Each structure stands twice: as C-alpha cells, then as structure tokens.
Amino acid sequence: MSSVAEEPYREGLEGVIANETAIANLEGREGSGGLEYRGYRIEDLAGNVSYEETAFLLLHGDLPTRAQLREFDSRLRASRDLPAPLVQLFREIPETAHPMDVIRTSVSVLAHFDPDVNAPPTDHAANVRKAERLVAQMPTAVAFRERIVNGNAPIAPRADLDHAANFLNMVNGKMPSPTMSSAFDLSLVLYTEHELNASTFSARVTVSTLSDLHSGIVAAIGTLKGPLHGGANEEAWKVLEEVGSPENALKWIEDALAQKRRIMGFGHRVYKTGDPRSRILKPHCAALAAEIGDDRWERIAEPIEQIVTTQKHLPPNVDWPSARLYHYMGLDIDLYTPIFAMARVAGWAAHIIEQLDHNRLMRPRARYIGPPNRPVKPLDAR
Ligand code: CMC
C-alpha cells in the first residue's frame, strides 16, 4: 500500500469515484451529462411514469408491468398506516421540533415495529420489503405530525388515492386539483434518486458496516437536512420571501451578489451547465401559479434566475423551482425538505440494498496535518 502522503486528496471528495452503481447515471449518453435512473433518461421518465413506477424501478431494477405495478401499489397502499405509539409520540415531541428532525425520529421508531426488524442486514428480500414499507409510511408520518402540530386531527390515508394525491389530501385536508396532484407526483419522481449525493453516500457508509437499512435511512435523513443539500429547498423559498416583490428582485440580487452571498437553489457539484430536474419542473411552477391566479413568485424568481445564471454561471438546481411548486400547493415551508426525504427514500434504499448485496466496509484514510510526533509531558510539566 502506498503512503497517505502519496495519495491524491480532493477537498469535499470532488470527482472521487467511491462506488460502482447500476442505479443512477449522471454521465448521460456518451458522457454528455444528464440524469438517468437505471438507464432511463429523466426527460423520458418525467410526465410518463408515476412516483410508484419510479420507486418500483429503483427497488426492483426495471419499470413494472401492469400486473407488477398493481401488486406493488396495493402493497404500498396497505402499508401506509403507522404504529399507534409513533402517532402518540407526534403529540409529545416539542412543537418547535423541525419536521425534518421528526421524520428522522419516525424512521428510527418505525424500525422497531417493522416485521423484518430481526432479518439479517444482507437479506435482500427483507430489505426490499422494509424499503417498500418506508416508501408508504414516511408520507403518513410527515402528514400526521404536520396536522397534529397545527392542532388538527390527522387524516387517515385513503386506499383509493395514489401516492401523491393521498399525501396532499392527508396534509391539506382536501383533494388536490389534477394539475397539483400531477405536479407533486412529478416533483417526487425528480427527487427520488441522484447517484452518490451526500445523503446517499452517508447511507451507504452506514450500512457498509453491516448495519441495517433503517439505520442507513436515518443517517441519510440527517445528512439531507443541511442547507447545502436537501435543506436548500426551504432556503430557496426564504430567498423569494426576502425579495418580497418583483420590483425588488433586480436590486436584491445585485446587492446579494456584491455581498458574495450564497444564493440557495443555485449551483451544483456535478451539473455545471444546468440541472435537468430544474428545467423539467419550471413550467409546472408557471402552470400552478396560473391555476391559483398569482404569478408574483414567478415574476420574482425569473430575474433572479437570469442574473445568477448569466453573471455567476450558476444555473438553478432542482430546489429552486420545487420551493415555489410546494408553496402553490399550500404546503408549509418546513415540509419541503421532509417531502424531499419521503421521495428520496426509494433511491436511498436502492443504494443501501446494492451496497449490502456487494458489501465491502467503507473506510477511507485522512492525511494528517496536525502537530508532529511529540513526547507526553507529565501533568505538572505541561
Ligand atoms: N451562490 C453563490 N455562490 C455560489 C453558489 C451559490 N448558490 N454556489 C457556489 N458558489 C460559489 C462559492 O461561493 C464559491 O466561490 P469562491 O470560489 O469565490 O469562494 C464557488 O462557487 C465554489 O463553491 P463550492 O461550495 O466549493 O462549490 P460546490 O461545487 O461544492 O457547490 C453547492 C455545490 C451545491 C454546495 C453550491 O453550489 C451551493 O452551496 N449551492 C446553494 C445550496 C443549494 O442550492 N444546494 C442544493 C444542491 S442540489 C439539490 C440538493 O442536493 O438538494
């Protein structure tokens, strides 16, 4: 083995290949860039397949046949309920707790009640069953806590509704419009998977010790929470609120850039010329704004997007349009990142299963830059 001093070090692990994966590809056709889930271009999936079909694709390796989808969907619908002690816990966790922390706790609690909790961590079939249950349970957990913390009774999941409509109905207490429901479903499809982003990496590291799937998901949720990753969709909304009016947008962004502020919802470690997810989602923001008859946020967002893209060469990422999209759906700002988590759980689980199917402990090295070797002085001589 070569010494640590001879090995290349890349800050933030930029460009380091830490895994092989058959789940997502950010290289696109002939290295032209883009996003593919298991060989399917995101542009071809978006609008053509539902979140349920996408989750099946990630967990089972290919798009489902009609019969496979029917069975998968009925398993999801049958798994949406939560154990009573978790619902009780939602009443006892302090109201001030961020929903992202509560969904992290929820997954930890759900582990105790999972019928496969004692299966070996490398049991592929048990891991797929655990993953399917989490895909079904996490939206209920997000919605129940939201209702309870706002002093409302939880709305039971409805087995006659699909994944997207059921969630919006459980949170808002009313059926979403078809435009709203399909835009929400699309946002989940776009959020489902993204190769070796920070949260997926932490999930893979966690289970590489032969820890269990739920532990990997808990680690991933904790990692997603930060504003440089999933937390950016909430921060992107705060940008729009701070700007406040279309008239203020140009001055606000020029001042912010002059002050070298980091503009949340822009930039990406891998996509340097644009995030395909943002391009796909943007027209749906405009459509929903038109449906609710309020285009103010679109008129604030557009000049900011133009300036940051042209002056800083930082195109918007997926979190920039999704913040507006969720606002138009009447969702509280602090649900934006938990929604990202309840979508991404299918991708995280697919990676966890892939890791456990071909596991080797992840244990990199660090280059030491501390004081040189020195003697330990007795306490009185220090
Ligand atoms: N606004 C202003 N400047 C930026 C931004 C931004 N959004 N992003 C990067 N920069 C600047 C940064 O200040 C630095 O400038 P300098 O070299 O002068 O110090 C330079 O670009 C490189 O920054 P970096 O943080 O080393 O670059 P990175 O490739 O590691 O950044 C990023 C990736 C996503 C962390 C960063 O673009 C960022 O912080 N964006 C805002 C947060 C955000 O929207 N995150 C969501 C990411 S995509 C989906 C998701 O994971 O949720």
Side-chain angles (χ1 to χ4, degrees):
M1 193 185 85
S2 57
S3 88
V4 167
E6 289 163 23
E7 293 293 331
Y9 162 58
R10 304 222 190 118
E11 197 178 25
L13 302 182
E14 180 163 7
V16 170
I17 309 303
N19 268 114
E20 288 187 327
T21 183
I23 302 168
N25 180 14
L26 299 192
E27 295 293 298
R29 301 277 144 83
E30 283 131 23
S32 60
L35 171 60
E36 293 173 2
Y37 297 168
R38 296 201 184 273
Y40 297 108
R41 289 171 74 238
I42 195 67
E43 289 81 358
D44 297 333
L45 293 168
N48 291 320
V49 300
S50 63
Y51 176 73
E52 290 89 323
E53 288 170 88
T54 311
F56 185 97
L57 167 67
L58 295 173
L59 294 175
H60 294 272
D62 208 343
L63 287 169
T65 61
R66 194 170 287 282
Q68 286 170 327
L69 180 60
R70 199 173 327 112
E71 283 168 25
F72 178 67
D73 196 20
S74 10
R75 287 199 298 278
L76 293 185
R77 290 177 197 227
S79 306
R80 286 175 178 163
D81 288 330
L82 301 178
L86 177 57
V87 182
Q88 182 54 30
L89 191 60
F90 291 153
R91 302 183 197 283
E92 291 172 22
I93 292 174
E95 275 179 22
T96 49
H98 191 285
M100 202 51 188
D101 293 336
V102 179
I103 191 64
R104 188 196 58 222
T105 302
S106 303
V107 171
S108 223
V109 172
L110 286 167
H112 306 306
F113 295 89
D114 192 281
D116 287 304
V117 65
N118 293 321
T122 50
D123 183 333
H124 180 100
N127 283 337
V128 173
R129 289 194 296 272
K130 287 178 180 176
E132 289 187 358
R133 284 191 279 268
L134 280 178
V135 167
Q137 290 165 326
M138 283 176 65
T140 316
V142 173
F144 273 33
R145 165 69 181 183
E146 173 71 359
R147 299 282 303 175
I148 288 169
V149 94
N150 288 320
N152 299 314
I155 294 172
R158 274 178 47 183
D160 60 322
L161 296 180
D162 66 26
H163 197 78
N166 175 58
F167 175 75
L168 291 174
N169 184 58
M170 284 193 297
V171 175
N172 290 334
K174 58 177 192 238
M175 277 295 290
S177 71
T179 329
M180 218 170 255
S181 186
S182 64
F184 187 70
D185 179 74
L186 173 66
S187 76
L188 299 181
V189 169
L190 298 176
Y191 266 141
T192 310
E193 164 55 17
H194 211 233
E195 199 223 43
L196 210 55
N197 55 84
S199 55
T200 302
F201 184 49
S202 79
R204 291 190 76 132
V205 171
T206 300
V207 300
S208 83
T209 66
L210 294 184
S211 185
D212 65 293
L213 181 138
H214 284 79
S215 296
I217 302 292
V218 170
I221 295 173
T223 310
L224 185 74
K225 180 183 164 187
L228 297 186
H229 191 6
N233 58 11
E234 297 185 13
E235 298 301 318
W237 178 255
K238 290 180 194 161
V239 166
L240 298 170
E241 270 191 329
E242 192 182 323
V243 178
S245 70
E247 297 70 38
N248 194 31
L250 273 180
K251 177 169 172 13
W252 186 94
I253 190 61
E254 275 162 10
D255 289 351
L257 293 181
Q259 292 157 14
K260 300 210 171 302
R261 276 179 68 170
R262 199 166 275 247
I263 316 299
M264 295 313 205
F266 289 87
H268 197 274
R269 174 63 69 78
V270 182
Y271 301 127
K272 295 303 178 194
T273 55
D275 180 338
R277 301 166 300 174
S278 167
R279 284 194 289 267
I280 293 169
L281 216 44
K282 186 176 173 182
H284 295 268
C285 293
L288 272 186
E291 183 174 283
I292 64 167
D294 179 5
D295 68 353
R296 168 179 159 208
W297 304 106
E298 295 306 297
R299 289 190 295 122
I300 294 176
E302 188 58 29
I304 293 177
E305 186 171 322
Q306 293 307 324
I307 299 271
V308 182
T309 307
T310 52
Q311 287 189 16
K312 293 284 292 183
H313 307 291
L314 290 168
N317 59 53
V318 63
D319 294 323
W320 182 244
S322 71
R324 298 189 323 270
L325 200 80
Y326 294 153
H327 172 77
Y328 299 144
M329 294 173 185
L331 298 165
D332 276 353
I333 173 175
D334 56 8
L335 293 186
Y336 298 0
T337 319
I339 290 170
F340 187 159
M342 72 186 215
R344 182 60 60 86
V345 66
W348 288 330
H351 278 272
I352 286 170
I353 293 166
E354 185 176 66
Q355 181 68 36
L356 287 167
D357 283 351
H358 312 277
N359 190 53
R360 185 150 190 240
L361 174 73
M362 291 212 207
R363 203 304 185 190
R365 294 293 311 280
R367 179 171 297 157
Y368 180 68
I369 55 163
N373 179 285
R374 49 192 171 154
V376 178
K377 292 182 187 160
L379 194 52
D380 290 337
R382 283 176 219 158

